[in-house]
Amino acid sequence: DVKVTQSSRYLVKRTGEKVFLECVQDMDHENMFWYRQDPGLGLRLIYFSYDVKMKEKGDIPEGYSVSREKKERFSLILESASTNQTSMYLCASSSPPDRGAFFGQGTRLTVV
Amino acid sequence: SQQGEEDPQALSIQEGENATMNCSYKTSINNLQWYRQNSGRGLVHLILIRSNEREKHSGRLRVTLDTSKKSSSLLITASRAADTASYFCATAGQAGTALIFGKGTTLSVSS
């Protein structure tokens, strides 16, 4: 059974902390994505990666960075967490060109 | 900016009725995909239609694509209470480009 696994289901962090969200896929997919989901705003793309060590900014990269040192792992880093980064974070992976994406279960992050 | 915009934002129907959701997008695409999300969970891929296809079926799902109007529709026939979820369209460009989602349609099916 194919899987995208996010390291935490729920996370509570303090303002100013550096936060790491980890995502691992076991399907040898080239593409990996990080989205955040907020009520009424749908899924907004933060960063994506189409190969190891490659990364591209999405629509809302400010305050975030990513790391992809290995093909199966894509990490999202909140450099200094702020309350407006409280959200549901979703990781996904896919393999081009004509395949759907697989999603992790999501991490609900609360910054206090 | 978000590529896909779903319409309507919310839809309430009775079991057995058909549900139709629409998606419009802005730029050229390689394919368009539809996903379902049950409350508080990750998204599940439902169906993908390529830019050179006009219609596709999968079980009770029917997807159409009109590239001249930059729009797609998802039809769920004979809806069930278990179909209650949010539905999102997503567009994909060429390899190495992002998968961009819309804001979604919330479907509620009552028995």
Side-chain angles (χ1 to χ4, degrees), chain B residues 2-5 23-29 31-32 51 65-72 89-91:
Chain B
Q2 286 175 290
Q3 167 79 302
E5 293 291 337
C23 170
S24 60
Y25 59 93
K26 298 172 185 173
T27 62
S28 62
I29 61 172
N31 64 69
L32 186 144
S51 59
L65 179 64
D66 186 336
T67 52
S68 67
K69 295 181 179 178
K70 291 188 169 58
S71 67
S72 174
C89 70
T91 54

Side-chain angles (χ1 to χ4, degrees), chain A residues 18-87:
Chain A
K18 191 168 186 176
V19 180
F20 293 86
L21 302 182
E22 305 286 346
C23 176
V24 178
Q25 51 98 359
D26 64 1
M27 295 163 283
D28 201 37
H29 283 170
E30 286 83 3
N31 297 331
M32 295 189 76
F33 309 87
W34 274 107
Y35 298 89
R36 63 176 283 176
Q37 184 176 23
D38 301 287
L41 297 178
L43 276 74
R44 293 181 291 167
L45 182 66
I46 305 171
Y47 270 96
F48 71 101
S49 169
Y50 55 88
D51 201 352
V52 176
K53 297 190 186 294
M54 303 301 291
K55 60 185 179 185
E56 295 286 342
K57 293 180 180 179
D59 294 322
I60 51 166
E62 296 79 18
Y64 304 94
S65 62
V66 290
S67 172
R68 193 161 181 207
E69 295 297 318
K70 294 185 177 182
K71 192 174 186 180
E72 67 269 19
R73 186 180 296 270
F74 193 35
S75 303
L76 179 69
I77 303 151
L78 285 66
E79 298 292 342
S80 177
S82 64
T83 54
N84 62 13
Q85 293 178 309
T86 291
S87 186

Side-chain angles (χ1 to χ4, degrees), chain B residues 4-99:
Chain B
E5 293 291 337
E6 290 90 341
D7 170 58
Q9 288 186 329
L11 182 60
S12 294
I13 60 174
Q14 298 285 324
E15 262 191 331
E17 294 180 339
N18 294 342
T20 300
M21 287 159 266
N22 302 296
C23 170
S24 60
Y25 59 93
K26 298 172 185 173
T27 62
S28 62
I29 61 172
N30 178 277
N31 64 69
L32 186 144
Q33 305 171 27
W34 286 91
Y35 290 79
R36 183 187 73 230
Q37 183 182 36
N38 291 94
S39 180
R41 315 288 280 184
L43 278 71
V44 175
H45 178 254
L46 294 176
I47 193 167
L48 181 151
I49 186 165
R50 296 178 179 82
S51 59
N52 61 354
E53 296 176 314
R54 291 296 166 259
E55 187 170 312
K56 201 162 183 180
H57 296 253
S58 177
R60 294 184 296 113
L61 305 180
R62 183 173 78 99
V63 171
T64 62
L65 179 64
D66 186 336
T67 52
S68 67
K69 295 181 179 178
K70 291 188 169 58
S71 67
S72 174
S73 67
L74 171 68
L75 169 67
I76 304 173
T77 60
S79 296
R80 306 165 180 167
D83 295 327
T84 294
S86 293
Y87 292 81
F88 295 87
C89 70
T91 54
Q94 298 303 315
T97 60
L99 184 62

